Amino acid sequence: MIWQRGDVRAEAASQAIAEELVVHVAALRRYALLLLGDSSDADDAVQETLTRVLARAKSWHTIGDLRPYLFSTLHNVFVDSTRREKRMATDFLSEDILASLVTPPSQQQRIELRDTVMALAKLPNEQREVVLLVGLEGLSYLEAAEALGIPVGTVMSRLSRGREVLRSMTSRETSRKLRVVK
Amino acid sequence: MTQDQMRVDDALDNDRLLRFVDGALDDDQRVQVLTALSSRPETVAKVEAYLHQNARLRALGQHLPMHDSRTFRADLQGEIVRRLAGRRTRATAFRYAAAAAVALTVLAGGTALTLDRLTGSGTSLASRASSAPEIYFPFGTTQLAASEPSGTAAPSDATPTDLASITWLAGQVPGLSLSAPELDGIGLHLVRGETLDTNRAPAIRLIYADEVSATGRALCRRRPLERRPRVPSRAQEGHLSLQWRRRPMIFALVAPTDSPQLGDRRAGAARAWQAQPRGHRAGAGRGTGRWRATSSRSPCPRRGYAPSCRKRPSRPRRRRPPRPPATA
């Protein structure tokens, strides 16, 4: 019967998708954690992302590259949650991120990572997204633009501004530390 | 500004620097940027800072949990299994519902609900029944409600909770008695009736089930007070909606289409329908002579359900001018 064949096809497609999804789950969780700043929120966002993707399993043949598509869905989940909860930058829990580090870094590394996390927390959401997608996940500008649904030029301008803000913050931190040493 | 300076500025514009940091330049462009950077120490500091940021972000990513926690993976797996199981459950339910469709489609040959237009308050139920058109229905009916006059409703075998919606519908259309089909003979029993308040016109839904609890639905609603009535034309995917009109009411039978015996049942129902006298056919509507006779006894002040009884304005006849008298 037609509906049986369709059901089997959909089931096989879903299983293939589920196997392919698992490869990207770790990257999604990492990105979500640095984007949201809270491990439970990040897990919820990734869960919601995967649920949305699975719900559209029938239209998967139209998707060219899975990775930008997943980040795009996660971006939409993030935007929805931000709108719903009116999340502020102060919600960013850098200590939560530092506590979740699996490999204990050296003291010097830990300080650097903490500075990086705190600087990321102060970035506006749109700049943080671009900096993380390009700098952390290694997406190309085109893939990042596809994931965020913005032009490539916008990606580059946000990236430039975000990096400049990060640079100014980290240099300020360095100079302050130097003064303290003196 | 010299030509060399312009060349250096072009090589070190912001976009190119970003591409250099992110490794998006080809070899020639990289050489150009590196050559230009040799004369700009302040830009070198900027590029170094960007490269250092990328290195820090990657280091941060390496120290973050790369593998899924057990609870997260379990949640994800549970979600996938739940979705797949949902599909299987729907497929199984659909298969069982096909059996119910066989029985429910029989109703398309007759009517799911039988209604009689009551013409006078003093008329007995028996005389009203004799004046009402006979409606083909092979399994008999249960008289469920009569709205007027009170006390004329026939005794009912169904439980009161099942009949509440039909009583409600009868109350919405004055002068109407409703009968619901008894389908126990073919293994279907009435589960419940629901009133559909969201429709423009009063409507109910009757839900039947067989032994495996597969359900089918019969919808009944009053025609809206519009010249072009809107019928419940939408059916769920994989279902068939059969509609017909009877007096002021519109009926719809919704059942799964994917039944191997559906075609036979439908053909049998059509044969039975053809075998009835023309005036007695279900769904014959307002065009039958009996309906005209009924409506002629009761005035129809634009109630909407019998537009044919409206009196058409007569066209004024043109009088011919008198001929002039013939001349001698």
Side-chain angles (χ1 to χ4, degrees):
Chain A
M1 298 171 94
I2 294 171
W3 61 267
Q4 278 180 328
R5 285 201 300 271
D7 192 56
V8 169
R9 273 202 305 269
E11 193 170 322
S14 295
Q15 283 173 345
I17 291 162
E19 288 171 7
E20 199 173 351
L21 281 180
V22 172
V23 178
H24 300 286
V25 166
L28 286 174
R29 290 190 73 203
R30 185 174 55 198
Y31 173 67
L33 179 61
L34 286 173
L35 190 63
L36 291 159
D38 180 65
S39 55
S40 60
D41 283 353
D43 279 357
D44 287 347
V46 174
Q47 180 83 47
E48 175 64 21
T49 300
L50 297 174
T51 305
R52 286 189 190 184
V53 170
L54 283 172
R56 296 181 216 131
K58 285 183 181 174
S59 59
W60 265 68
H61 60 279
T62 60
I63 300 170
D65 195 358
L66 178 60
R67 199 166 170 228
Y69 180 74
L70 286 174
F71 281 109
S72 173
T73 310
L74 181 54
H75 165 71
N76 292 336
V77 171
F78 171 64
V79 169
D80 290 347
S81 72
T82 309
R83 266 193 213 132
R84 191 170 55 244
E85 300 168 11
K86 298 198 170 24
R87 181 185 301 277
M88 304 295 290
T90 50
D91 292 345
F92 203 97
L93 303 174
S94 54
E95 291 302 323
D96 195 15
I97 295 175
L98 293 173
S100 65
L101 299 181
V102 287
T103 313
S106 66
Q107 186 63 24
Q108 177 64 26
Q109 272 183 327
R110 189 175 177 83
I111 291 170
E112 282 187 4
L113 294 180
R114 189 198 64 192
D115 291 347
T116 306
V117 170
M118 293 186 73
L120 277 173
K122 289 173 186 168
L123 280 182
N125 286 340
E126 59 268 17
Q127 292 178 13
R128 194 189 315 149
E129 280 183 311
V130 175
V131 168
L132 287 176
L133 284 177
V134 175
L136 175 69
E137 300 300 332
L139 263 66
S140 68
Y141 298 145
L142 191 62
E143 287 175 333
E146 190 182 335
L148 299 175
I150 53 177
V152 176
T154 310
V155 168
M156 297 194 70
S157 63
R158 286 183 185 177
L159 183 64
S160 174
R161 271 181 271 139
R163 277 181 172 160
E164 201 54 41
V165 172
L166 282 180
R167 185 165 78 103
S168 64
M169 281 193 281
T170 49
S171 63
R172 209 181 305 141
E173 291 288 323
T174 310
S175 59
R176 189 166 56 85
K177 278 176 204 155
L178 287 176
R179 276 201 300 274
V180 170
V181 170
K182 282 177 184 174
Chain B
M1 186 179 286
T2 64
Q3 199 167 0
D4 288 345
Q5 281 176 331
M6 287 175 63
R7 202 177 300 134
V8 168
D9 288 341
D10 286 345
L12 295 181
D13 68 342
N14 205 31
D15 285 2
R16 189 167 288 207
L17 278 183
L18 288 176
R19 291 179 189 277
F20 175 77
V21 169
D22 294 318
L25 292 180
D26 56 25
D27 291 342
D28 292 341
Q29 290 171 328
R30 283 185 71 81
V31 169
Q32 284 178 6
V33 171
L34 285 170
T35 309
L37 280 176
S38 59
S39 61
R40 292 283 181 88
E42 68 279 6
T43 312
V44 170
K46 183 177 172 182
V47 169
E48 279 182 350
Y50 287 175
L51 289 170
H52 193 57
Q53 280 174 20
N54 275 359
R56 276 184 171 185
L57 283 173
R58 278 188 223 107
L60 185 61
Q62 284 173 359
H63 286 94
L64 285 174
M66 291 290 289
H67 302 289
D68 308 325
S69 64
R70 285 189 178 184
T71 54
F72 183 77
R73 180 166 281 194
D75 288 347
L76 176 61
Q77 198 165 0
E79 180 71 22
I80 293 168
V81 167
R82 191 180 64 77
R83 287 186 178 277
L84 293 178
R87 283 206 185 94
R88 283 195 207 101
T89 307
R90 280 198 297 276
T92 309
F94 189 76
R95 204 176 299 143
Y96 284 136
V102 173
L104 283 171
T105 313
V106 175
L107 295 174
T111 58
L113 299 172
T114 307
L115 30 142
D116 294 331
R117 174 75 180 158
L118 301 181
T119 54
S121 60
T123 315
S124 66
L125 186 65
S127 63
R128 282 197 297 271
S130 64
S131 65
E134 289 181 18
I135 296 174
Y136 169 74
F137 190 70
F139 302 106
T141 59
T142 300
Q143 198 75 12
L144 293 176
S147 61
E148 70 173 22
S150 61
T152 57
S156 169
D157 297 332
T159 58
T161 52
D162 297 339
L163 308 183
S165 59
I166 301 176
T167 310
W168 173 82
L169 181 63
Q172 299 293 315
V173 186
L176 198 71
S177 76
L178 301 178
S179 300
E182 286 180 348
L183 301 178
D184 293 337
I186 55 173
L188 286 176
H189 58 276
L190 180 64
V191 176
R192 66 180 186 276
E194 298 169 350
T195 59
L196 305 176
D197 292 331
T198 54
N199 284 276
R200 289 186 174 186
I204 63 170
R205 172 168 53 210
L206 301 177
I207 297 176
Y208 291 84
D210 58 6
E211 288 85 6
V212 293
S213 298
T215 58
R217 289 169 289 154
L219 300 172
C220 177
R221 63 177 290 193
R222 182 182 166 175
R223 285 192 202 177
L225 302 178
E226 299 168 6
R227 178 166 290 187
R228 189 177 174 186
R230 295 182 180 180
V231 296
S233 57
R234 284 188 294 180
Q236 198 178 350
E237 185 179 350
H239 285 63
L240 177 68
S241 175
L242 298 171
Q243 298 154 17
W244 66 99
R245 299 174 186 174
R246 183 67 184 166
R247 303 276 174 77
M249 308 301 289
I250 299 173
F251 301 97
L253 183 69
V254 183
T257 57
D258 203 3
S259 165
Q261 301 174 28
L262 180 65
D264 298 340
R265 295 291 180 177
R266 199 188 306 169
R271 280 196 299 274
W273 191 83
Q274 291 291 341
Q276 293 299 307
R278 184 176 177 78
H280 293 178
R281 283 177 186 169
R286 61 183 185 247
T288 61
R290 193 175 291 272
W291 170 240
R292 279 186 192 143
T294 305
S295 60
S296 67
R297 285 201 295 272
S298 62
C300 177
R302 295 176 62 87
R303 284 182 187 165
Y305 54 81
S308 65
C309 67
R310 258 184 261 145
K311 191 176 178 182
R312 291 184 179 176
S314 58
R315 188 179 294 174
R317 287 188 177 181
R318 189 185 300 169
R319 287 187 178 181
R320 289 184 178 178
R323 288 186 178 181
T327 54

